[in-house]
Amino acid sequence: MGAARRKPLQNRQVGSLFLLWCVSVGGAATIRYSVAEEMESGSFVANVAKDLGLEVGKLAERGARLVAEGNRLHFRLHRKTGDLFVKEKLDREALCGKSDPCVLHFEIILAEPLQSFRVEVRVFDINDNAPVFLNKEPLLKIPESTPLGSRFPLQSAQDLDVGLNGLQNYTLSANTYFHLHTRFRSHGPKYAELVLDNPLDREAQPEVNLTITAVDGGSPPKSGTANIRVVVLDVNDHVPQFSRLVYRAQVPENSDNGALVVVVTATDLDEGTNKQITYSLAENPEAVLRTFLVDPQTGEVRLRGPLDFEIIETYDIDIQATDGGGLSAHSKVLVEVVDVNDNPPEVTISSVSSPLPEDSALQTVVALFTIRDRDVRVGGKITCFLKEDLPFVVKHTFRNSYSLVTDRSLDREDVSSYNITLVAMDTGPPNLSTETVIEVVIADVNDNSPVFQEDSYVLTVRENNSPAVFIGKVHAEDLDLGENAQVTYSLLPPKSGDLSVFAYISINSDNGKLYALRTMDYEAIQDFQFVVKATDGGFLSLSSEVTVRVVVLDDNDNRPMILYPLQNGTLPCNDLVPRSAEAGYLVTKVVAVDGDSGQNSWLSYHLLKATDLGLFSVQRQNGEIRTLRQISERDPMMQKLVILVQDHGQPALSTTASLNILLVDGFSEPYLQFQDPSKHSRKVNPTTKYLVISLSVLSFLFLLSVTVIFIIHLYQKIKHRDKFTIQEHFYDDCNFPNNLVQGRGNGSLSQPCPYDMCSATGTGNSEFRFLKRFMPNFPFPHATGEVKTEDDSSLPPGSNKNRSRGSAGHDRIGDEYM
């Protein structure tokens, strides 16, 4: 902050001056000064040339001039000396009213080069106005029965000064009945209330005269007085009562005279004339009395004068209701003026640079202008733009100051001059706008380069495409004419040095069309990008670049692949299901994947074929195979299923999975321990009992024979070491997992139970696995038959014969057994 200079001038007031420099975002400087009001015309303010850092005489050389923001300029500039003087006597109250601070705005425009400096001059208030009561002799009628502590609002004193120089306090002349209480309004000056301290007695003193004094905070202070006449009324039992203590209303500023604002109502419990209530505006400021009126009979508050939100935003109205006996009550009406967008923006052009060379750098200032909108809350936000698409842009420099700058390169051969239409529009509603035309002539220079229509391009190509297929094009335009406008296109090598992109893409240098040189595979590459360069045909060629991204679209060219159960191309996998399984029992789950993406990789599972379509079901979403009903003794032991796995591509591709399900009576002796004896208990026919005993004896003899044959065979294998050991032989033919059965789904075991189904020592209940080596093939009945061998009946429940997945040896055993 620079110190202000003092320059003695005859018959001129000189105040303390302060200077503050602020740099706006647009690069323009703001100079701030301050002066006291009532300075006479010709009073010295400051030396602008010194504050701007210019030599004496530069202002005159560059044609310095002052441009006022409003319609009136209050200062003048001496170009030779750079001194700024007061043009006319400044009255802060006339310039700004009650607004504080009071700031006057104008601009200093310099030419060659074009520059704009914003100047703000703050006018400080002096105590040149005393508080004034509009009603010098107010009259109050107070009943003698008024209770102590009752309050009676008084009119506010008006003081045109602001701040400390404005109204500060009230005092009351000495008396025995009242004291004074000062209160604040939400919007407006302070006001005072008379507070009753001692009871009134009309017979003793029918009238009380008081003097109220309003004092401001100036030095020295000034004051104004009013004589209050209090008439003591005879007793009236009831005072009127308003329905509300405070009424609130909102009125648009464009409302017509006579428009209804609010209706106030008061009631009185007295009878006769004492019940008749008359409404009136009590002691209110002059602005309220000039703008509003109240109907004495109905209490309707209406407009009597125009509203202007830009001048007064809210009104605080004191309404008085008086009954026929002279008793009165007071209520407040708070009126909020609603801002209406009734003022279009005002555009003031400060300076224009014309002609303008076409090789002017970007952001070159073409014109300076200001925009002002008197509306504040509605439509106060200004949007300034160009009506047409031109190589210029509007730039906001500082507050309501704007500049028109170049945004793109200019070409006189294309456009020799521009009629630029500035549109200043507020936010409404309704939207109000102002159009201003600026004519700019372009001086000839040639410097246009090709410009792509888009900042970047995204092209798509479907996989499995034919080589040399057209996939899209890029296009750039040059505003020059002739050879300078001829554009050629080329591919730029990547910065990394990887030239593989040239194996995928080719470009037509004349029209920018792009071709795919090879067949794309989405599973190998999903997208890639490269840079295209456009060069014009000028002597000193100019060029521009753009990034092109090629996205490969997926085709449904991969069938689903079965992960489980394994499909080795020979025999399907097998699963065991106890015949005691309930409906909903989880048998197994088909797991598949698809190499495609998106919808092409969504899989669904369907039961294509089955021995019994009513026994099993496949979950469409997850491939789980469950029983539909409880397994009966009539169901064939071998159930063959073919599962179809299909994707959602267009066209859809599918794969099938085959598996066998063996229905067994049980898994193992430990499994029987978990069964409920009472559940399975039933009466046994004696004939059936004898038959079971006979079959058990035959089975025992059969197993004994098989054991002897096995021991002999084992002994021979041990003697011949050059052959495979019997243990290896068994493992080659039987790939059952050790943990065959685990509790899963409903209907299975309640906890995991491991069983050894393919042990080399043969300790488990799995006598059928050796039938292929040492016994002839027994024909197995058809899956729909009812025949069951004795060996099958001798198996304990839970024995797993065919649980292994993808086991060739086990499948062969199962086939021979079947």
Side-chain angles (χ1 to χ4, degrees), residues 716-789:
Q716 293 176 352
K717 288 291 182 181
I718 293 175
K719 292 177 61 179
H720 301 281
R721 295 295 183 179
D722 55 336
K723 297 183 179 180
F724 293 100
T725 63
I726 190 64
Q727 182 176 0
E728 293 174 345
H729 189 76
F730 287 156
Y731 274 106
D732 289 340
D733 288 340
C734 197
N735 294 326
F736 286 96
N738 288 335
N739 295 335
L740 182 61
V741 180
Q742 293 187 355
R744 58 176 181 175
N746 47 6
S748 61
L749 297 179
S750 60
Q751 60 182 350
C753 298
Y755 303 99
D756 186 7
M757 298 298 295
C758 191
S759 171
T761 59
T763 58
N765 296 328
S766 55
E767 59 269 34
F768 292 106
R769 66 187 54 152
F770 309 114
L771 295 178
K772 183 177 188 303
R773 297 299 180 187
F774 312 109
M775 298 181 67
N777 294 338
F778 293 97
F780 191 84
H782 192 268
T784 59
E786 301 293 335
V787 179
K788 182 185 297 186
T789 65

Side-chain angles (χ1 to χ4, degrees), residues 337-454:
V337 181
V338 179
D339 189 16
V340 176
N341 192 28
D342 55 351
N343 296 288
E346 300 174 0
V347 179
T348 303
I349 304 297
S350 302
S351 183
V352 178
S353 294
S354 180
L356 183 69
E358 66 170 337
D359 62 345
S360 298
L362 297 181
Q363 304 299 316
T364 299
V365 177
V366 180
L368 298 174
F369 59 95
T370 58
I371 303 177
R372 179 187 179 192
D373 194 336
R374 297 185 60 195
D375 296 315
V376 179
R377 297 186 181 177
V378 178
K381 185 177 181 180
I382 303 298
T383 302
C384 185
F385 56 92
L386 301 183
K387 188 175 182 180
E388 300 174 353
D389 184 17
L390 299 176
F392 303 97
V393 68
V394 176
K395 189 173 183 181
H396 184 220
T397 57
F398 183 78
R399 291 187 182 176
N400 59 345
S401 296
Y402 297 82
S403 61
L404 180 66
V405 299
T406 56
D407 184 53
R408 301 192 301 269
S409 299
L410 305 176
D411 188 354
R412 194 206 66 82
E413 289 75 19
D414 190 15
V415 179
S416 59
S417 65
Y418 292 91
N419 287 325
I420 306 170
T421 303
L422 297 175
V423 180
M425 179 180 294
D426 57 25
T427 54
N431 297 104
L432 300 180
S433 61
T434 301
E435 295 186 1
T436 304
V437 178
I438 300 177
E439 182 178 0
V440 177
V441 178
I442 306 301
D444 183 30
V445 171
N446 184 22
D447 58 349
N448 292 294
S449 59
V451 177
F452 281 95
Q453 291 180 338
E454 299 182 16

Side-chain angles (χ1 to χ4, degrees), residues 10 29 181 205 233 313 316 368 380 393 404 459 692 705 710 726 734 754 759 772 783 809:
Q10 189 174 0
H181 179 71
Q205 187 174 354
L233 302 178
E313 298 181 9
D316 192 341
L368 298 174
V393 68
L404 180 66
L459 306 179
V692 170
S705 300
F710 171 74
I726 190 64
C734 197
S759 171
K772 183 177 188 303

Side-chain angles (χ1 to χ4, degrees), residues 42-320:
S43 298
F44 173 77
V45 177
N47 186 277
V48 175
K50 180 179 179 181
D51 295 334
L52 293 177
L54 300 176
E55 298 178 1
V56 177
K58 282 292 184 179
L59 295 179
E61 293 178 4
R62 298 182 62 180
R65 57 191 177 93
L66 303 183
V67 178
E69 186 175 275
N71 297 327
R72 196 171 182 180
L73 186 61
H74 302 280
F75 302 92
R76 62 182 178 85
L77 177 65
H78 195 285
R79 295 183 180 179
K80 293 184 178 181
T81 62
D83 293 333
L84 184 66
F85 298 98
V86 176
K87 186 176 181 181
E88 57 185 11
K89 186 176 181 179
L90 300 177
D91 185 358
R92 196 205 67 81
E93 288 74 28
L95 294 174
C96 301
K98 299 295 288 184
S99 300
D100 189 35
C102 178
V103 179
L104 302 179
H105 302 275
F106 61 92
E107 288 184 281
I108 300 176
I109 305 299
L110 302 179
E112 299 178 2
L114 183 62
Q115 285 183 290
S116 173
F117 299 92
R118 187 179 180 85
V119 181
E120 294 181 356
V121 179
R122 180 174 179 179
V123 181
F124 283 99
D125 182 46
I126 64 174
N127 192 21
D128 56 345
N129 293 282
V132 176
F133 289 95
L134 300 180
N135 188 358
K136 296 293 185 180
E137 294 183 358
L139 175 63
L140 294 179
K141 295 180 180 182
I142 303 177
E144 61 179 336
S145 61
T146 302
L148 299 182
S150 298
R151 298 172 179 265
F152 304 92
L154 302 176
Q155 66 169 334
S156 300
Q158 305 295 319
D159 193 334
L160 298 180
D161 293 324
V162 295
L164 293 177
N165 294 328
L167 178 63
Q168 298 295 322
N169 196 12
Y170 294 94
T171 60
L172 187 67
S173 61
N175 67 93
T176 59
Y177 295 100
F178 300 94
H179 78 271
L180 202 62
H181 179 71
T182 303
R183 302 194 67 175
F184 296 87
R185 282 191 173 93
S186 58
H187 299 280
K190 300 177 182 178
Y191 69 97
E193 293 179 338
L194 283 180
V195 182
L196 184 62
D197 294 332
N198 295 310
L200 298 174
D201 187 355
R202 183 177 180 279
E203 288 72 24
Q205 187 174 354
E207 185 174 314
V208 178
N209 293 315
L210 305 172
T211 301
I212 183 173
T213 304
V215 183
D216 63 19
S219 179
K222 294 185 178 183
S223 62
T225 61
N227 295 321
I228 303 174
R229 182 183 171 208
V230 180
V231 176
V232 182
L233 302 178
D234 202 0
V235 174
N236 188 6
D237 294 336
H238 297 90
V239 177
Q241 297 292 329
F242 278 94
S243 60
R244 298 181 186 177
L245 293 177
V246 178
Y247 294 83
R248 300 180 183 272
Q250 291 184 336
V251 184
E253 66 173 329
N254 60 348
S255 300
D256 298 329
N257 290 345
L260 179 64
V261 178
V262 71
V263 178
V264 297
T265 57
T267 58
D268 196 319
L269 299 179
D270 290 330
E271 297 293 334
T273 59
N274 292 332
K275 189 176 183 180
Q276 298 178 358
I277 297 177
T278 303
Y279 301 93
S280 62
L281 295 178
E283 304 295 340
N284 287 282
E286 183 181 1
V288 173
L289 299 176
R290 190 172 55 247
T291 309
F292 300 91
L293 58 85
V294 61
D295 190 295
Q297 304 302 324
T298 62
E300 294 180 349
V301 179
R302 295 182 179 273
L303 290 178
R304 68 180 303 176
L307 297 175
D308 193 344
F309 177 84
E310 287 71 32
I311 298 177
I312 298 178
E313 298 181 9
T314 58
Y315 291 90
D316 192 341
I317 307 174
D318 191 2
I319 304 295
Q320 177 177 289

Side-chain angles (χ1 to χ4, degrees), residues 1-4 16-20 31-35 45 120 124:
M1 179 176 293
S16 299
L17 307 175
F18 300 94
L19 171 64
L20 177 64
I31 311 171
R32 292 187 174 92
Y33 299 107
S34 60
V35 297
V45 177
E120 294 181 356
F124 283 99

Side-chain angles (χ1 to χ4, degrees), residues 605-818:
Y605 302 82
H606 309 272
L607 182 58
L608 186 62
K609 295 181 181 179
T611 302
D612 187 352
L613 293 175
L615 183 56
F616 299 98
S617 67
V618 179
Q619 294 292 328
R620 183 183 178 88
Q621 290 77 19
N622 54 25
E624 292 182 351
I625 301 177
R626 295 181 180 270
T627 58
L628 288 175
R629 57 177 174 82
Q630 187 173 5
I631 300 174
S632 65
E633 294 183 355
R634 295 182 178 182
D635 293 323
M637 182 179 182
M638 169 65 73
Q639 298 287 333
K640 295 184 178 181
L641 303 181
V642 178
I643 309 301
L644 175 69
V645 183
Q646 187 177 41
D647 59 26
H648 287 69
Q650 293 295 332
L653 301 179
S654 62
T655 303
T656 59
S658 301
L659 70 156
N660 292 338
I661 298 177
L662 298 181
L663 305 181
V664 298
D665 291 333
F667 287 143
S668 65
E669 290 299 326
Y671 175 78
L672 298 176
Q673 297 177 4
F674 291 97
Q675 307 300 317
D676 186 0
S678 61
K679 180 177 179 181
H680 300 284
S681 64
R682 59 184 178 182
K683 295 181 180 180
V684 181
N685 193 325
T687 304
T688 304
K689 181 177 181 180
Y690 296 146
L691 180 59
V692 170
I693 294 173
S694 301
L695 292 175
S696 299
V697 173
L698 293 176
S699 299
F700 173 77
L701 295 176
F702 173 79
L703 292 175
L704 181 62
S705 300
V706 171
T707 303
V708 173
I709 295 173
F710 171 74
I711 294 174
I712 294 173
H713 180 75
L714 182 63
Y715 175 76
Q716 293 176 352
K717 288 291 182 181
I718 293 175
K719 292 177 61 179
H720 301 281
R721 295 295 183 179
D722 55 336
K723 297 183 179 180
F724 293 100
T725 63
I726 190 64
Q727 182 176 0
E728 293 174 345
H729 189 76
F730 287 156
Y731 274 106
D732 289 340
D733 288 340
C734 197
N735 294 326
F736 286 96
N738 288 335
N739 295 335
L740 182 61
V741 180
Q742 293 187 355
R744 58 176 181 175
N746 47 6
S748 61
L749 297 179
S750 60
Q751 60 182 350
C753 298
Y755 303 99
D756 186 7
M757 298 298 295
C758 191
S759 171
T761 59
T763 58
N765 296 328
S766 55
E767 59 269 34
F768 292 106
R769 66 187 54 152
F770 309 114
L771 295 178
K772 183 177 188 303
R773 297 299 180 187
F774 312 109
M775 298 181 67
N777 294 338
F778 293 97
F780 191 84
H782 192 268
T784 59
E786 301 293 335
V787 179
K788 182 185 297 186
T789 65
E790 292 181 359
D791 297 326
D792 184 38
S793 62
S794 65
L795 286 174
S799 298
N800 292 336
K801 303 184 297 299
N802 247 341
R803 187 63 174 178
S804 171
R805 291 158 175 82
S807 173
H810 172 68
D811 292 340
R812 290 194 296 273
I813 293 174
D815 291 340
E816 293 180 5
Y817 178 80
M818 295 172 60

